[in-house]
């Protein structure tokens, strides 16, 4: 989704940059892929192990300072900077908290991404509202929208 946003802005002539602050999965190549065939500015992500060590040592502020430093290098004059957040998994449980702290530190607007696969509309709506509550809730100005993917996977008779 993040790479699609980058390409959409680039194709429309907007100055855009991309940053994945933390390499969440081994072999994650988002930062490399964004450079293919374009002049988009990006920085290499911090290794997940480094982020985990800082968070577990109570040094989240130092981690955020490192991320902010990378973003400052990419921001530029009137450049749209797409920052890809983390996904909570069984092994990474601080993703949502760190995403919230990154958005706060960067003064960023948040665009949520949700998968409709295996959910009905009510369940999907509830998940989106819960996710938005991490950033102050819907209608509070921080969350500017939500992209829903895998819509063909909705359960029941609901349609969008």
């Amino acid at each position: 989704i993040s790479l699609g946003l980058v390409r959409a802005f680039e194709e429309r002539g907007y100055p855009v940059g991309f940053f994945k602050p933390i390499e969440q999965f081994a072999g994650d190549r988002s930062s490399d892929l964004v450079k293919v065939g374009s002049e988009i500015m990006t920085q290499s992500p911090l290794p997940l192990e480094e982020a985990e060590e800082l968070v577990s040592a109570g040094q989240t502020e130092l981690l955020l300072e490192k991320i902010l430093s990378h973003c400052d290098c990419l921001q530029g004059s009137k450049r749209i900077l797409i920052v890809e957040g983390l996904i909570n998994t069984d092994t990474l449980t601080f993703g949502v908290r760190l995403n919230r702290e990154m958005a706060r530190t960067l003064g960023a607007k948040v665009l949520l991404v949700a998968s409709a696969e295996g959910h009905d509309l009510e369940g999907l709506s509830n998940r989106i509202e819960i996710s938005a509550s991490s950033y102050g809730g819907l209608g509070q100005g921080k969350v500017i929208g939500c992209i829903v993917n895998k819509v063909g996977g909705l359960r029941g008779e609901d349609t969008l």
Side-chain angles (χ1 to χ4, degrees):
I1 300 294
S2 298
L3 298 180
L5 283 172
V6 168
R7 291 290 184 240
F9 283 120
E10 181 184 39
E11 287 177 4
R12 285 166 182 76
Y14 292 101
V16 64
F18 172 79
F19 184 46
K20 181 170 183 88
I22 299 168
E23 182 181 50
Q24 185 163 358
F25 304 104
D28 184 346
R29 299 191 42 219
S30 296
S31 296
D32 295 330
L33 289 172
V34 79
K35 294 182 215 174
V36 174
S38 81
E39 300 294 320
I40 294 173
M41 294 181 66
T42 189
Q43 296 260 331
S44 296
L46 300 169
L48 178 60
E49 297 77 26
E50 181 179 346
E52 287 175 328
E53 286 174 18
L54 289 170
V55 169
S56 66
Q59 296 184 335
T60 303
E61 289 300 318
L62 178 58
L63 175 60
L64 292 169
E65 286 176 25
K66 289 182 176 204
I67 291 168
L68 181 60
S69 173
H70 284 276
C71 288
D72 284 347
C73 293
L74 295 171
Q75 194 67 42
S77 175
K78 298 183 181 179
R79 179 174 293 127
I80 298 167
L81 182 60
I82 306 295
V83 179
E84 185 176 310
L86 297 166
I87 301 168
N88 268 7
T89 65
D90 292 341
T91 57
L92 179 74
T93 58
F94 61 84
V96 171
R97 182 172 56 90
L98 192 54
N99 287 342
R100 182 182 59 243
E101 292 301 314
M102 283 191 293
R104 180 190 56 79
T105 299
L106 300 173
K109 301 290 185 183
V110 175
L111 181 62
L112 299 173
V113 176
S115 171
E117 189 169 48
H119 298 278
D120 59 21
L121 281 179
E122 184 177 347
L124 178 62
S125 176
N126 288 339
R127 287 180 48 238
I128 292 169
E129 284 191 41
I130 290 168
S131 293
S133 70
S134 295
Y135 304 94
L138 296 172
Q140 300 303 311
K142 207 57 155 158
V143 176
I144 59 171
C146 181
I147 294 175
V148 179
N149 64 6
K150 300 182 182 177
V151 175
L154 275 171
R155 287 186 305 156
E157 298 178 20
D158 295 327
T159 57
L160 292 177

